[in-house]
Amino acid sequence: MAGVTRTPTNLTQGSKTKGGIGESTLRPDGTLKVTGEFAYSSDLWHEDMLWGFTLRSTEAHAELVSIDTSEALAQPGVYAVLTYDDLPADVKHYGLEIQDTPVLAHGKVRHHGEPVAIVAADHPETARRAAAKIKIEYRQLPLVTDEASALAEDAPLIHEGRDDHHIGHVPHPNIVHRQPIIRGNADEARKKADVIVEGEYVFGMQDQAFLGPESGLAVPSEDGGVELYVATQWLHSDLRQIAPVLGLPEEKVRMTLSGVGGAFGGREDISMQIHACLLALHTGKPVKIVYNRFESFFGHVHRHPAKLWYEHGATKDGKLTHMKCRIVLDGGAYASASPAVVGNASSLSAGPYVIDDVEIEAIALYTNNPPCGAMRGFGAVQACFAYEAQMDKLADKLGLDRVAFRQLNAMEQGTIMPTGQPVDSPAPVAELLRRVKAMPLPPERQWESSEGADVRQLPGGLSNTTHGEGVVRGVGYAVGIKNVGFSEGFDDYSTAKVRMEVVAGEPVATVHTAMAEVGQGGVTVHAQIARTELGVTQVTIHPADTQVGSAGSTSASRQTYVTGGAVKNACELVREKVLEIGRRKMGTFHPAWATAELLLEGGKVITDGGEVLADLVDVLEDEVVELEEEWRHRPTVAFDLETGQGDGHVQYSFAAHRAVVEVDTELGLVKVIELACAQDVGKALNPLSVVGQIQGGTTQGLGVAVMEEIIVDPKTAKVRNPSFTDYLIPTILDTPTIPVDVLELADEHAPYGLRGIGEAPTLSSTPAVLAAIRNATGLELNKTPVRPEHLTGT
């Protein structure tokens, strides 16, 4: 890690217990994962279990004329075949915010791959063969695939009879949500501009591409309920959607998190959870469902593809005068998280810059394309791609250095956002740009090193397609702003239960939350918080389940902030209870028990001057202290539906990138040599994990810049590349050097001064790569991902 700046926060209780906050402690699951021994949800097994399978539609928009399941039911080894008509409860739809998604298709299908029927059998291949025997008659309906077909006067309605709370403020029923933001007077400010630039940008549909496909095991219980072991991002949200469909009270649906093989937003929605539970309750047997990769592409939402139009103006000395933009997000057939993505895209569409006069509109459409929802960056990624291209255009037109132009207009603490909300924590945008620009550039023509030629350093790599002829280097910069936590008035809270006791002669803390560990490292950080606050070495992380209060979703860069805050809060209360016990038991032995500031450290009770008063083992003898506490961040409000004004966000995070690429301009091949990043993290609770998060987010941004896109046939709305053969993601050979410069400027409103970090690097890495390719080729390149034909004109 290069150039780490540490700013004292003075926000901890002061414990120096080994393995606490600020140390690079190792993940408890790390060795198991890299050796292949970790148990993921796909490894679950139960005696006498059945296998479930989902039959999906082969059409994108069609009436279901008939479904014949008789042949499938007659197949030996088949225990159940269920369709919409077999659902047991009155509630037959679910959804994160809008309950518009049918458990199984009814009346018609709205997208390619929509679940139509589910099968349970004694072997996975038997289930698949039985599903293939289900006969479905479709009658094709007109397709809605883009804005023009969605908003035409005679456009088919994706959801007839909509009655959700957004319908009253959208101009057409095929618009999920619309959010304008108006501040100042963009038309008047436009008159002050010496230069004006416009741009139209297209952002492709990206898949989360997690390693572990959707999977889980449902086990019927004796009380008529069900136990569900599943890989998910949000246990309690799943519970809220599952129980009504099963016709069960929530207390009879008991959920436990199983090993999660990545998420990135793709597990925030329901996939196989309800189907497995329905089959288990219907058959009275445990049912396991594991998607293969093909099914996974249809089984979860994707990142919204977007079309964006921007206009910026600036004075001749480089000050931004105004901004106008229109962002159209394709939400696909069902709402999922589209309303919140619209809120993010609109409120963050101006980027980390001071612009007093803005006119913004963002909408999400219902179409017959695949459903889209949460993915790392959540609306801010698409906007950053466009506004950063605009910044380069403006700088070039003014003849100014691209980084200096950004720094001149960079926001800082106290800047007013387009929504009218002041930025009330550090916003070191100019400093991050300075740092990333100051990092040493990699040497040129690395393939001609003294050790001999290395084709891996060339565009095309091991394919050996070029030997350096026509290879041009380009350098590009970008910076982005991302919100942290759920916004717009959402009651964003988390719960933690902390227990402290003596086990085998040693003080031990147990932390129990419903946080989904999806690879972000919460299980490491929670133990670090407990060691810091309780002064113990041994910390047990209880498996996440619904037997404790909600921890919310592992998304929006919120878990360390919110669930970490809940763990910290619960630990502080447990500490006070332990000290209260100590005062009662031992207070007569030393006056410091009553007069001094007391801490727990190294398994002992000490004064703030370092004097040891007692061993925790003695204090906790025959005692168990356990408390469950909620923690909420400061409140937010919904954006005004006419002006977009309102304090809608909790916290902002910032990252800047410099990309260095080499392009074979004749073959259209790109090699990203380096993606340097500078990011403010507030407080690095685990520095090693912080760098890993930044490098991971950077790599996902690289993927969408040069290779990742789900291709949907515009004529049929069918997915053309649902496999890793045709949907490309970066491998180790594509991933560049990613030096990271971590800045720590504490946010006084956050636990330990921390700042959510996981998403911000995904924003700026994509436009930085595009800027570098433009720098190398001179081409405009307003679409992601960049393909060889875009560079060669073929």
Side-chain angles (χ1 to χ4, degrees):
M1 190 193 317
V4 176
T5 298
R6 297 196 176 278
T7 303
T9 64
N10 298 319
L11 297 176
T12 71
Q13 74 115 18
S15 172
K16 299 296 187 291
T17 302
K18 183 174 175 56
I21 291 302
E23 295 185 37
S24 291
T25 61
L26 298 180
R27 296 178 58 105
D29 55 354
T31 301
L32 294 172
K33 285 181 174 177
V34 299
T35 59
E37 298 174 85
F38 185 80
Y40 290 97
S41 58
S42 55
D43 298 313
L44 291 164
W45 197 266
H46 197 287
E47 184 179 356
D48 198 31
M49 74 180 185
L50 303 177
W51 294 80
F53 182 77
T54 304
L55 179 67
R56 299 179 181 277
S57 67
T58 56
E59 300 294 334
H61 197 204
E63 181 186 347
L64 286 170
V65 178
S66 65
I67 304 176
D68 182 355
T69 63
S70 57
E71 278 194 53
L73 279 166
Q75 184 91 352
V78 171
Y79 282 71
V81 180
L82 305 181
T83 66
Y84 180 91
D85 292 336
D86 300 307
L87 299 179
D90 292 336
V91 177
K92 302 179 190 294
H93 291 72
Y94 64 91
L96 281 174
E97 179 186 336
I98 300 172
Q99 286 69 53
D100 63 353
T101 309
V103 173
L104 294 167
H106 176 61
K108 69 175 182 176
V109 294
R110 294 177 173 86
H111 69 92
H112 180 211
E114 180 164 356
V116 178
I118 50 178
V119 179
D122 57 8
H123 190 279
E125 287 307 313
T126 301
R128 291 177 188 278
R129 292 191 189 103
K133 292 181 179 295
I134 298 174
K135 296 176 181 178
I136 302 175
E137 183 182 351
Y138 294 102
R139 182 180 294 123
Q140 290 189 351
L141 298 171
L143 289 171
V144 173
T145 59
D146 55 17
E147 184 179 12
S149 57
L151 304 186
E153 186 174 339
D154 59 346
L157 298 185
I158 303 299
H159 293 274
E160 304 89 345
R162 273 184 66 185
D163 62 355
D164 61 85
H165 60 284
H166 291 291
I167 190 65
H169 67 265
V170 294
H172 192 285
N174 282 341
I175 295 177
V176 185
H177 177 47
R178 175 181 180 268
Q179 181 61 67
I181 297 179
I182 309 295
R183 185 164 178 265
N185 190 321
D187 288 330
E188 282 299 310
R190 191 178 194 274
K191 298 174 184 177
K192 303 174 185 177
D194 294 307
V195 297
I196 293 173
V197 300
E198 292 185 54
E200 292 187 6
Y201 304 92
V202 177
F203 197 99
M205 184 186 296
Q206 187 181 17
D207 187 67
Q208 293 84 354
F210 37 70
L211 288 179
E214 293 82 346
S215 54
L217 175 68
V219 183
S221 50
E222 292 181 357
D223 65 355
V226 65
E227 311 273 350
L228 179 61
Y229 304 86
V230 67
T232 182
Q233 286 181 246
W234 193 350
L235 286 165
H236 283 79
S237 176
D238 287 5
L239 175 63
R240 173 180 57 80
Q241 297 172 77
I242 294 169
V245 174
L246 302 180
L248 294 174
E250 289 187 1
E251 58 268 21
K252 285 196 174 184
V253 181
R254 292 168 286 273
M255 299 184 64
T256 301
L257 185 74
S258 296
V260 183
F264 313 114
R267 299 188 200 270
E268 199 164 68
D269 294 77
I270 294 289
S271 59
M272 47 63 60
Q273 291 95 317
I274 294 175
H275 296 162
C277 290
L278 285 169
L279 291 169
L281 290 170
H282 185 85
T283 63
K285 289 178 173 289
V287 174
K288 177 177 177 177
I289 295 180
V290 180
Y291 288 174
N292 60 29
R293 184 59 60 183
F294 176 86
E295 292 172 288
S296 183
F297 270 95
F298 295 101
H300 62 257
V301 298
H302 312 289
R303 187 190 298 285
H304 291 74
K307 293 186 177 180
L308 310 96
W309 172 85
Y310 268 78
E311 176 187 286
H312 283 86
T315 62
K316 59 186 176 183
D317 58 357
K319 295 295 289 183
L320 291 168
T321 57
H322 74 287
M323 184 206 80
K324 293 184 176 184
C325 79
R326 186 169 188 270
I327 299 172
V328 179
L329 302 158
D330 186 345
Y334 296 106
S336 182
S338 285
V341 174
V342 167
N344 268 18
S346 59
S347 60
L348 302 174
S349 61
Y353 302 109
V354 178
I355 311 178
D356 293 328
D357 298 275
V358 300
E359 185 178 307
I360 298 161
E361 180 188 34
I363 64 172
L365 300 173
Y366 277 126
T367 69
N368 294 123
N369 294 322
C372 292
M375 186 176 174
R376 195 176 198 165
F378 204 80
V381 167
Q382 295 91 326
C384 186
F385 169 64
Y387 64 66
E388 283 302 273
Q390 289 284 102
M391 292 302 104
D392 283 345
K393 285 183 179 180
L394 275 171
D396 293 349
K397 197 164 185 178
L398 290 165
L400 299 175
D401 176 83
R402 291 178 172 185
V403 173
F405 174 72
R406 286 173 167 84
Q407 290 174 312
L408 178 65
N409 291 284
M411 67 164 53
E412 57 189 15
Q413 187 166 353
T415 292
I416 306 298
M417 294 290 291
T419 59
Q421 181 173 13
V423 178
D424 61 356
S425 62
V429 178
E431 173 63 9
L432 293 174
L433 286 162
R434 184 195 69 77
R435 283 170 173 260
V436 80
K437 187 175 184 180
M439 296 171 77
L441 284 163
E444 298 205 35
R445 303 186 71 83
Q446 294 182 82
W447 62 89
E448 296 178 347
S449 65
S450 58
E451 290 79 16
D454 186 349
V455 297
R456 291 175 298 177
Q457 298 297 331
L458 283 163
L462 292 175
S463 63
N464 202 23
T465 49
T466 180
H467 294 168
E469 307 90 342
V471 174
V472 182
R473 170 166 288 198
V475 179
Y477 294 87
V479 62
I481 177 173
K482 175 66 177 67
N483 65 309
V484 173
F486 291 155
S487 304
E488 300 189 62
F490 187 90
D491 185 17
D492 195 5
Y493 73 94
S494 188
T495 314
K497 182 186 292 184
V498 174
R499 178 184 179 97
M500 200 165 175
E501 60 193 319
V502 174
V503 178
E506 185 174 4
V508 175
T510 300
V511 178
H512 185 188
T513 75
M515 179 209 71
E517 173 57 59
V518 302
Q520 83 280 11
V523 291
T524 309
V525 168
H526 291 177
Q528 291 179 269
I529 293 172
R531 292 189 193 105
T532 297
E533 300 299 334
L534 298 177
V536 298
T537 301
Q538 295 299 319
V539 179
T540 299
I541 303 297
H542 191 286
D545 56 31
T546 51
Q547 305 309 300
V548 67
S550 177
S553 174
T554 300
S555 60
S557 303
R558 63 176 290 282
Q559 280 293 10
T560 302
Y561 191 126
V562 181
T563 304
V567 173
K568 181 177 186 290
N569 187 34
C571 284
E572 289 171 345
L573 295 173
V574 166
R575 184 177 72 232
E576 290 307 310
K577 184 69 173 178
V578 169
L579 292 175
E580 180 184 317
I581 293 170
R583 291 185 182 98
R584 187 180 73 241
K585 283 185 174 182
M586 302 177 176
T588 58
F589 297 111
H590 198 299
W593 280 101
T595 60
E597 181 74 24
L598 301 183
L599 306 172
L600 305 183
E601 185 176 304
K604 301 181 185 300
V605 180
I606 66 171
T607 68
D608 54 358
E611 183 179 0
V612 176
L613 297 186
D615 285 332
L616 276 176
V617 171
D618 296 328
V619 174
L620 287 170
E621 185 180 11
D622 301 322
E623 301 277 357
V624 174
V625 179
E626 183 176 81
L627 292 170
E628 181 174 332
E629 292 294 327
E630 290 182 352
W631 189 87
R632 283 173 166 81
H633 58 60
R634 52 198 177 138
T636 59
V637 300
F639 298 126
D640 184 271
L641 292 175
E642 298 295 328
T643 66
Q645 299 302 289
D647 291 357
H649 295 308
V650 178
Q651 187 191 59
Y652 300 100
S653 60
F654 306 91
H657 278 89
R658 181 191 66 200
V660 180
V661 306
E662 286 172 349
V663 183
D664 187 314
T665 55
E666 296 176 355
L667 299 177
L669 300 175
V670 176
K671 173 70 176 178
V672 181
I673 302 297
E674 182 188 82
L675 261 173
C677 181
Q679 182 167 340
D680 173 28
V681 304
K683 169 68 176 177
L685 272 59
N686 186 315
L688 183 64
S689 180
V690 163
V691 172
Q693 283 287 299
I694 293 171
Q695 291 176 332
T698 296
T699 304
Q700 282 194 306
L702 160 68
V704 77
V706 295
M707 59 183 69
E708 294 189 48
E709 184 179 16
I710 292 178
I711 305 297
V712 181
D713 190 319
K715 294 181 179 180
T716 64
K718 294 183 181 182
V719 178
R720 293 170 53 188
N721 60 334
S723 77
F724 283 164
T725 300
D726 301 303
Y727 182 90
L728 304 180
I729 60 173
T731 69
I732 191 64
L733 293 175
D734 304 297
T735 304
T737 303
I738 307 177
V740 177
D741 188 347
V742 173
L743 182 64
E744 294 184 81
L745 301 178
D747 177 356
E748 64 180 15
H749 306 286
Y752 303 111
L754 67 85
R755 195 182 299 276
I757 62 168
E759 294 176 284
T762 312
L763 273 65
S764 48
S765 54
T766 299
V769 171
L770 266 291
I773 299 173
R774 294 187 195 107
N775 180 243
T777 64
L779 299 172
E780 191 166 0
L781 302 176
N782 287 346
K783 182 183 186 304
T784 69
V786 173
R787 302 187 185 280
E789 58 267 30
H790 301 154
L791 302 177
T792 61
T794 57

